[in-house]
Structures are given as C-alpha cells and as structure tokens.
C-alpha cells in the first residue's frame, strides 16, 4: 500500500518510440545568482525573491509564428489585444477563432483542442519556488546544493506553455500515449500544452549544455569534460481532487553529461570519486544496473561504461535522499530518529534506458520519490551531444516537501495565510504545526452515464495506475482524439469543481456506482467535500458553490439524477 497514489507525480510508462528533435520556446533562466542572494531576501508574500537572473538563451523560437495564431485565422489585432491583458486572462468570444488568452505575457489563440480554464490559468506564475522561505523553495534549494555549481547550473522555467513536441515528441512519446489525452493534459491549443513535466525542457537544456561542453573540449581535446543542470518548473495535470493532488505541482529535472572524447570512460570512473561515501542508510538494489530483457542497455553503449553511469546516478541520488532526510531529522529533534531505507526499482520511461525509480521507506510505507535513467542516445544526438553519455532524473517537490515538513494537505502549499507561511524559514525543515481544522460539509451529486468503454469504472482505472504514463496519463484512458466531449471522464467533474470552488474543496470521491439492469446505463455518485484550510464555510456559500457545480455539470454528456 502506498501513502500517496503512484502515478500522481511520477508514472511508469509502457511504450517507447523516438522522434525528431526541435527547439523549445520556453526560456530557462539561471538562478545561481538568486541562490547566492537568497539568504538576504526578506519574505513577506509568495514572490519576494529578487529575480536578478538572466535568460539562458534568447534564441528566437522558429515555431512562434506557427502557433495557432495563423492557423485559426486570428487577426494580429486580437493577438495584440490579448497581450495587453493581464497574464492569465481568457477572452472568450462567440466567434471561436477569436478566443484566446494571455499566458505569461504571450498571446495564445484557442482552438477546438483547448481545455485550459480560468482557474488553472490563475495558478500560472505564482512561482512558489522563488519564495526562499516556502517549503517548495527550501526543498528545491537543498537539491541544488547537493548537485552543486559549478558542475551543475541551476535553472527555472517560468513560462509553462510548451509545444507538444517538447513535452512529448522529442522525448519519444508515441502518438497514442495516454499522457497526451485531453482528459489528463491541459491543452492551450492543438500545438501547445501547459507542460505536464519538467522533462519538456530537457532538449533545450541539453543543447545549451552541449555548447558549453564543446567550448571546453575545443580548448583542451584531451581533457574531456562533464557538466550538468537542474531545472525547476511548475507542471500541470488534470487529475483527481484530494489531499495529495493539485492540478499544479512542482518538479525538478536533473541531468549530467560526460562529453565526447577518447578519455570519456576514464572520466566517468574518475567522477565516482566525488560522490558521497559511507552513507548512513540501507540501500536495497536487487535489479542491478540493467537487465537485457526488462531494462536494457542501449544499442551502442558499452556495458562497462553504462554500468559506471548507472552507478554514478544511483549513488548521486542516494546522496541526495540521505542529505534531505538527515536535514529533516536534524531540524525535528523531538521526533525519534528513523533509519533511512531506500530501494531501487526497475522502471520504464520513453526517454531513458535503463530506467529506475527510487523509493524510500518512511513511516511504515514504501513511497516512490523519483524517476531516472540513462538518457536515450537519440535525445543527446538531437541536441548536438553526439558521442556523449548522460543520466537524468525527475523529482516531484510536493511529495518530498509534504513528507519532510509533515504537511497534511497539498492545498496548504498554495495558501497565502500567514499562519502557514510564517512557520517556515530558508534552510530549515521543521514540521508544520496545524493551526486549526475547520468543519467539512459534503454534498453528493448522482448522474447517469452511458456504460461505454470510455466510461468504464473510474475505480478500475485508478487501480491500474501502475501501467500508466510518465508525464501523466492513465493508460486506461482514450487518446486525445476521442476523449471529449462524447464520453464522460472523471477528470471532467474534477475540473468543474476546481473551476467553481478552487481550494475550497478538500476532495471529490466516487462513493457509489451501479449499472441499471434493464437500461444498461451506469449510475455514478460523487461526494464533494467542501472544507477550507483557512476558515469556516457558511451553508449558503457551500449551497451556492454546489449549485454552480450542478449547473456546469449539465454541459457534460451525463444525465443528472
Ligand atoms: N518526467 C518524468 C515524469 O514526470 C520523470 C522522469 C523520469 C524524469 C525519468 C527524468 C527521467 O529525467 O530520467 O514522470
């Protein structure tokens, strides 16, 4: 049994296919400077970090003009009008071609694939990872310190709109991969999504790193270099509503590359020397570095070299976990110390081979912490890193922060309540002290759906999360083309509830389900649990919200009972 459902933050995937590379439109910003300054910043609200960082690259994105602007017949004037609106503003016009939004200062024209909502766009740009005293930023900062500069450069990607190419294609996601489904992913339009994972920036980051490493090699061809990066980003997934799921969460991506050259193998071996030794933790690793049947070595990689890379990856991440859990235990001396125990599990991601997940045994349960592996060679080749070899990982920050700070409800991380924010300070991992518990108020909604395969039991879909997809996506769901609006999908009710009530809902659960014996129609009953973390909700308020939910549900392919 897992404390937090697998699949919310990191999911194993089933398929692999490699596709051509492309240049990303999102920009990455160096934060090394910010980190140096972080101790000096006061924090009074969510974004107080002095952002003195510089764009990593100001290359013009060749796809900019290819955005839906031209395709949907939107006028230049409308694009300019959108740009003049505050970020997050959606302009809906009766004429479909003229609907769009300003997201992070850029105009995006909607089309028939669009499913972003006002409530999700309101959450764009909060950048919790920039407030040095916020649990997300404290966790991020410790990760950055572990993968220290100058070997690693640290970045964040502020604009969440990425192309489907960067989010899926470049990384080898097949066309019918469930992660691409509109039920699971927020589409800005048919070409762009709100990124579903920080790996969407891998390609661009590898390109930039490639240029840096090439310069080093040019200076001294006999001294092959290596270098890495981390990227912090908010990522977006349409998902269920409960204490561990929020439609936006944070991930960090990390990678390390050993550049081309005759000395490469020697260089990898040498890097092992810099890793932490004799960690005070128990490590279970039955699968070893690879398995030709289930977790293969890539074509063209030598077994010896790939083994070194896997070992380097695993030891680096064990060092990270040890450092983080030690820091947390040191800052909470009143709680009895637990021995740290982790295990390596074989995994599958379209962009790595071999691939692994790291789990930690914490408070009696095995919890999945991160996914990682040896980067697919085609990804490196496409980014100009031919003859190089690399590892990469992706970590969900909420998962870690909730464990370390003992935060019981993910919504708290978005709270602007001083009773929450004032409890944390940069560099400290103290446990959260709950300030109060306000009463819940639940309301049910029952309706009929057609018992087609696409409306198969949401409960069954839940249980099969293990075969789901990296970057989100449940393998039991249909592809982007045929999910909406013909069939009801559980995430549709989640989206409506989120749009109407935002963080005033603690969870939404399916509480009853049956098929009518003669009509064959399926009845579903969902319970919406209204509860604020910050105040008592009045009856009238809850009734008003619930009525709005019911009103909006009427647009779905369902029959309210
Ligand atoms: N992007 C993956 C996800 O969100 C996580 C991940 C797995 C990132 C393996 C990586 C990696 O860089 O190598 O599920």
């Amino acid at each position: 049994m897992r404390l937090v459902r697998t699949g919310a933050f990191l999911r194993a995937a089933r398929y692999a296919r490699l596709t051509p590379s492309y240049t990303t439109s999102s920009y990455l910003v160096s934060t090394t400077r910010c980190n140096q300054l972080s101790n000096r910043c006061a924090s009074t609200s969510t974004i107080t970090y002095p952002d003195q960082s510089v764009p990593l690259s100001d290359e013009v994105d060749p796809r900019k003009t290819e955005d839906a602007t031209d395709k949907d017949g939107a006028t230049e004037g409308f694009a300019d009008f959108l740009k003049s609106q505050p970020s997050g503003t959606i302009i809906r016009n009766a004429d479909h071609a003229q609907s769009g939004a300003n997201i992070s200062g850029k105009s995006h024209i909607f089309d028939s694939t669009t499913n972003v909502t006002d409530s999700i766009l309101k959450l764009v740009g909060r950048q919790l990872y920039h407030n040095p005293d916020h649990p997300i930023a404290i966790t991020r900062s410790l990760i950055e310190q572990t993968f220290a500069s100058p070997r690693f450069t640290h970045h964040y990607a502020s604009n969440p709109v990425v192309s489907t190419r960067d989010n899926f294609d470049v990384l080898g996601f097949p066309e019918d991969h469930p992660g691409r489904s509109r039920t699971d992913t927020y589409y800005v339009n048919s070409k762009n999504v709100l990124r579903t994972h920080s790996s969407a920036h891998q390609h661009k980051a590898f390109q930039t790193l490639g240029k840096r490493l090439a310069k080093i090699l040019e200076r001294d061809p006999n001294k092959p270099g290596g270098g890495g990066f981390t990227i912090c980003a908010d990522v977006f997934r349409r998902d269920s509503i409960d204490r561990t799921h929020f439609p936006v969460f944070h991930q960090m991506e990390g990678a390390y590359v050993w550049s081309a050259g005759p000395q490469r193998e020697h260089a990898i071996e040498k890097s092992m020397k810099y890793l932490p030794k004799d960690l005070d933790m128990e490590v279970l690793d039955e699968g070893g570095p690879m398995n030709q049947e289930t977790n293969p070595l890539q074509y063209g990689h030598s077994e010896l070299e790939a083994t070194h890379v896997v070992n380097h990856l695993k030891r680096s991440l064990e060092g990270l976990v040890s450092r983080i859990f030690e820091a947390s235990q040191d800052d909470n001396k009143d709680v009895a110390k637990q021995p740290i125990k982790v295990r390596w599990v074989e995994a599958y991601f379209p962009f790595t081979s071999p691939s692994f997940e790291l789990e930690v045994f914490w408070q009696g349960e095995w919890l999945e912490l991160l996914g990682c592996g040896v980067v697919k060679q085609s990804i490196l080749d496409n980014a100009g890193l031919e003859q190089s070899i690399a590892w990469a990982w992706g970590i969900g920050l909420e998962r870690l922060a909730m464990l370390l700070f003992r935060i019981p409800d993910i919504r708290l991380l978005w709270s602007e309540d001083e009773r929450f924010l004032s409890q944390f300070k940069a560099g400290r991992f103290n446990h959260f002290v709950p300030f109060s518990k306000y009463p819940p108020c639940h309301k049910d909604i029952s309706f009929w759906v057609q018992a087609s395969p696409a409306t198969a039991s949401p409960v069954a879909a839940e249980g099969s999360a293990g075969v789901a997809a990296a970057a989100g996506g449940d393998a039991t769901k249909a592809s982007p083309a045929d999910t909406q609006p013909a069939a009801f999908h559980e995430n549709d009710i989640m989206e409506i509830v989120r749009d109407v009530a935002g963080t005033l809902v603690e969870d939404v659960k399916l509480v009853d389900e049956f098929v009518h014996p003669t009509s064959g129609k399926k009845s579903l009953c969902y319970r919406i649990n209204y509860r604020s973390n910050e105040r008592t909700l009045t009856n009238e308020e809850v009734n008003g919200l619930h009525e709005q939910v019911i009103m909006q549900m009427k647009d779905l392919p369902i029959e309210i009972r």
Side-chain angles (χ1 to χ4, degrees), residues 61-83:
D61 176 11
R63 285 163 302 161
K64 233 184 214 162
T65 49
E66 215 192 281
D67 195 0
T69 316
D70 300 327
K71 291 269 184 307
D72 294 346
T75 59
E76 275 297 311
F78 184 57
D80 287 346
F81 170 69
L82 284 177
K83 234 181 175 160

Side-chain angles (χ1 to χ4, degrees), residues 9-11 196-197 199 202 237 251 253-254 349 351-352 371-373 392-394 470-471:
F9 298 125
L10 294 167
R11 286 172 163 160
T196 62
H197 58 164
S199 308
Q202 260 196 20
R237 295 184 192 177
Q251 281 190 335
E253 192 79 7
F349 299 103
F351 33 93
T352 48
C372 63
W393 47 254

Side-chain angles (χ1 to χ4, degrees), residues 444-558:
D444 291 351
I445 177 160
S446 305
F447 49 91
W448 295 110
V449 295
Q450 289 304 327
S452 65
T455 53
S457 168
V459 176
E462 181 89 0
S464 54
V467 293
D474 186 320
T476 60
K477 291 169 192 166
S479 69
D482 56 14
T483 46
Q484 288 176 339
F488 166 76
H489 188 284
E490 183 173 272
N491 282 350
D492 298 337
I493 176 168
M494 303 295 168
E495 205 52 37
I496 288 175
V497 172
R498 225 173 252 135
D499 222 26
V500 170
T503 54
L504 300 182
V505 169
E506 186 170 273
D507 54 44
V508 179
K509 286 192 186 119
L510 180 71
V511 288
D512 188 39
E513 174 185 29
F514 67 86
V515 177
H516 192 279
T518 46
S519 71
K521 283 197 285 191
K522 183 182 277 186
S523 164
L524 299 174
C525 177
Y526 281 87
R527 177 157 297 166
I528 304 174
N529 190 17
Y530 296 88
R531 188 210 300 251
S532 163
N533 274 318
E534 284 148 18
R535 63 193 172 84
T536 301
L537 300 176
T538 64
N539 266 342
E540 281 132 47
E541 196 175 3
V542 172
N543 288 341
L545 291 171
H546 197 65
E547 259 164 44
Q548 278 185 58
V549 169
I550 294 174
M551 280 286 290
Q552 293 203 23
M553 292 276 293
K554 288 184 178 151
D555 292 337
L556 297 179
I558 61 169

Side-chain angles (χ1 to χ4, degrees), residues 7-13 167 171 173 196-200 202 206 229 235 237 249 251-255 313 347-357 368 370-376 391-396 469-472:
F9 298 125
L10 294 167
R11 286 172 163 160
N167 200 78
L171 295 164
F173 284 74
T196 62
H197 58 164
S198 50
S199 308
Q202 260 196 20
F206 277 134
F229 57 79
V235 304
R237 295 184 192 177
F249 58 99
Q251 281 190 335
M252 275 178 84
E253 192 79 7
L313 167 67
Y348 183 89
F349 299 103
F351 33 93
T352 48
S353 191
S355 309
F356 310 92
E357 277 168 2
E368 179 191 320
L370 58 91
C372 63
V374 178
V375 177
K376 285 267 176 83
W391 55 240
W393 47 254
I395 299 181

